[in-house]
Amino acid sequence: MRSARHLLLAASSLALLGAAALPAVAMPVSSTAPAAVAQNAQPSSAWAQAASDIPADPAVRFGTLPNGMRYAIMKNATPPGQASLRLRIAAGSLMENDDQLGLAHFMEHMAFNGTTNVPENDLLRILERLGLAFGADTNAFTSFDQTAYTLELPRTNDETVDTSLRIMREQVSEALMKAEAIDEERGVIEGEERLRNTPGLRSLKAQIALLAPGQRLANRLPIGDLSIIRSAPRERFVEFYNAYYRPERATMIAVGDFDVDQMEAKIKATFGDWTPKAADGPNPDLGTVAPRSAETRILVEPGIQSSIQLNWIRNPDLDPDTVAERREALVQNLGLAVLNRRLGEIARADNPPFIGASASKGSLFDTVDLGSVSASFNPGGLKRALETIEQEQRRLVQFGVTQTELDREIANSRTALENAVQAAATRSTPALANALLGSANDDKVFSSPADNLARFEASVKDLKAEQVSTAVKAVFEGYGPLALVITPEAIEGGEAGVTAALEASRTVAVTARAEQAQLEWPYANFGAAAVPSSRTEVAAVGATVVTFPNGVRLTVKPTDFKDEQILMTVRTGIGEEGLPTDRFTSQMLAPMVFTQGGLGKLTADELSRVLTGKIYSAGFSIDGDAYQLSGATRPADLQLQMQVLAAYLTDPGLRPAPFEQIKAFFPQILTQQRATPGGAFGIQAAGLLASGDKRETVPAASDIAAFTLDELKQGVIQGMASGPIDIVMVGDVTVDDAIKAVASTFAALPARAPAAQPLPGSDQRRFPAPTAQPVRLTHSGPAEQALGYIAWPTTDSVDDRTEARKVNILAEVFKLRVLEEIREKQALAYSPRVASSSSDVFKGYGSIFVMAETAADKIPAFYAAVDAITASLRDAPVTEDELNRARLPVIESLRRSQAGNEYWLGQLEDLAAKPASLEQIQTHISDLESFTAADIQAAARQYLKADTAWKAEVVSDKAATQ
């Protein structure tokens, strides 16, 4: 089950500029009636390579149908037998008229609510029968400038591909938009608006208002205007749909394990007879950037992370994507990379002026180009944060970068590009589809990794620091600085005070940055390389288990899933089982500070500098039964990667700076989480769902203030000092190379003492007692926002996982009914969740839950709907069709996962210590396939009992005062 510790890692940040993916509903199809085909229509935008000297990736087939619809097709077999489809419409909220605000996004929903040949309620069911899951595989999103429909196909057989293409064709040309269906969906959209009305979204609005006042972007957020959403007549939808859902604005992207000729033929057959139904909608006038002087804006938003941005704006660069344009961008980005490294080093120093800071450049939807430098800080830290980012930005502009700094960033960029070339053959299908979608939307050439590397080498050949220093100045030219302060509390002196502080900082002289000392890697020798004492093949899963004389156990699985990727975990100790259940300990902060403290002989920044140009990583977590280090590398750096992890095990830095920083930041984390019902539930209910176990409970700020670094050091170092070391390595590696890398690092260490024994009671975790009435929790957000939650105790997956897998399928059936009843029929919540979890450490600890963020006055209806659904699951067996619609997406998702290194890294975790786990790994899919409707009904009767349920509701603390 998800630990409360992970919640501590969450921190609020400004929302991304663009709407997040908005789940839709799925459907069946039959072919549309023939229509007169538009001949040789021109697409709204030709492929970018038509106006560029950059060649497109030859692995992609680009084309345009006679009706103007574009397509991009690419064969890719990672994972095998699967495909990703993206259908982009070049229209988003920027295209809306003033009486259509929100209808681009609303229209996206209606494309899933019935078409000419697909009844409203059949859409989702058809795709589920093919193994696609709502949300995960069937999705859509609306942004300012595009609407996109996405499908992840578990198979590329004719039935799956033909049905999926026909569904997409129906969505973009045959949506019915019945008046009654629109009325039913209004509540769903309102629920989505309520869910997304967060401090982050309100901050985004303030940011756009500052950067683009008077321009169309400032009044076109995709969620729209609630008054229009509630009342817009059907004809408004039809007007938008007919004007903008048209072939010359459409782009089909297909990537996957299929024959390109056959896919091209299918796309032509499916979309070739699509003709517009009305005149093309106009491309809107986005406005121009008006002259501005320095300006300050403050947004006081309770529950937000304190931040300061300094922005310089100018009219957008709309030139075609060319070699010259990319070289200019590359040179500027190298300069920004230097500035970002400097800011990062400041953030990681003792008593830093900010929590984090960064500089960037970008373009907002062809409306405004900007350069910016920003920082997040703790309340009361505005002046220091502002002064530091202003002066560091000015230091860069005045004195530029050094050649040493530039060479470091070139080396890191080169390594990433070289690795991309070496791994090109096993790029992820969904990632490629998304990259093609992004290039289409941004009007950029989709170029090959090899071409990107060659162009990079040509651009950086003989590149001098002086050239970069000159180029990066342009990032901060334009109107400004425009300062935006976002704060949970009022700023003394207001906007005038911030402006005065900024002006005062600009009068402070800055000096050139001093050169940094050269460093050597001091962790290359851990002793004589060990010789394995045993080597056992586990052919059933393609793994080898190797033991060494000092007790280290290595499980390695070579794969060809992804070239140039090796993943590994190193586990030791007993983790949470060695922590008390009745009090908080400083170790709760260890995952946030362990690697940030660097190593004993190198700070985190020195580590980064000395390993310039290498690919490695280091992560740290405390699991239920182990301390875990993790890493990811490539074959060329495997030896180094294992040296890094061995160094973290034997000589962690655990320095004061990151520890004190997270202690100071922690109150903001709590405040930010409490600003939304979901966040407030997470921090308040985590411990309650573990019957008060302090290891799962989120501590109060006063508890965190009492934590000490000495306690953390002692606990972590002692916890990691004993017990076997289990290493799992999966990926582009041979068994012999894995053995060699471990033999000279972990296997070279002295033998370790036996694992510690769990503290009394620490090997247990209990689900809470049932509640007659919901436990009431509060959040600090708007009064209309609320959350309802119900959970039932189930079982664990410590040994036999079959029962837990059955509960998981029960949860999937439960989810189908919750979505149909709570989202679609009653519109109580936009995104209700149902899931199950089972502990693989604590026996008897597992649960199944349903949760929904809803309006406060709808909580009773939510509970009533859940009661009715659970009764129906107990009282009658599900149909075979419903069982398969729930089960098949889970099985297909599992098959997809099995073609990835991440899956096997987790599955092989216990293989060396618990050989019996092999059978559980092998039977996962067969278990899921074996469950019957009677099994699911029996599970519902066993677990979904009213007298075992634990309920909670989260309401606004403002509700009582209104």
Side-chain angles (χ1 to χ4, degrees), residues 125 217 335 357 371 766 942:
R125 293 172 182 173
L217 184 71
R766 299 183 310 280
Q942 180 177 353

Side-chain angles (χ1 to χ4, degrees), residues 617-737:
S617 66
F620 176 80
S621 62
I622 304 178
D623 294 347
D625 58 353
Y627 292 84
Q628 177 172 292
L629 292 163
S630 58
T633 188
R634 59 180 176 174
D637 292 325
L638 176 59
Q639 190 71 38
L640 172 66
Q641 173 69 72
M642 299 314 291
Q643 291 173 0
V644 170
L645 295 181
Y648 269 112
L649 177 70
T650 59
D651 189 28
L654 294 174
R655 288 179 168 80
F659 180 75
E660 294 302 326
Q661 188 175 29
I662 193 61
K663 284 181 64 177
F665 180 42
F666 193 80
Q668 283 202 84
I669 297 178
L670 295 180
T671 300
Q672 291 161 27
Q673 292 295 303
R674 290 196 178 105
T676 64
F681 177 80
I683 62 172
Q684 294 176 77
L688 298 176
L689 285 165
S691 296
D693 189 331
K694 295 296 186 183
R695 298 171 297 178
E696 286 294 286
T697 304
V698 177
S702 58
D703 298 310
I704 293 290
F707 288 172
T708 68
L709 182 59
D710 286 342
E711 182 194 24
L712 186 151
K713 280 184 178 179
Q714 180 181 357
V716 171
I717 291 174
Q718 180 177 324
M720 297 176 67
S722 63
I725 296 175
D726 280 290
I727 301 170
V728 178
M729 195 178 298
V730 179
D732 187 7
V733 63
T734 66
V735 175
D736 288 342
D737 284 345

Side-chain angles (χ1 to χ4, degrees), residues 527-532 548 554 639 737-749:
V531 176
F548 293 89
L554 166 67
Q639 190 71 38
D737 284 345
I739 291 173
K740 181 180 177 182
V742 172
S744 60
T745 53
F746 291 94
L749 299 174

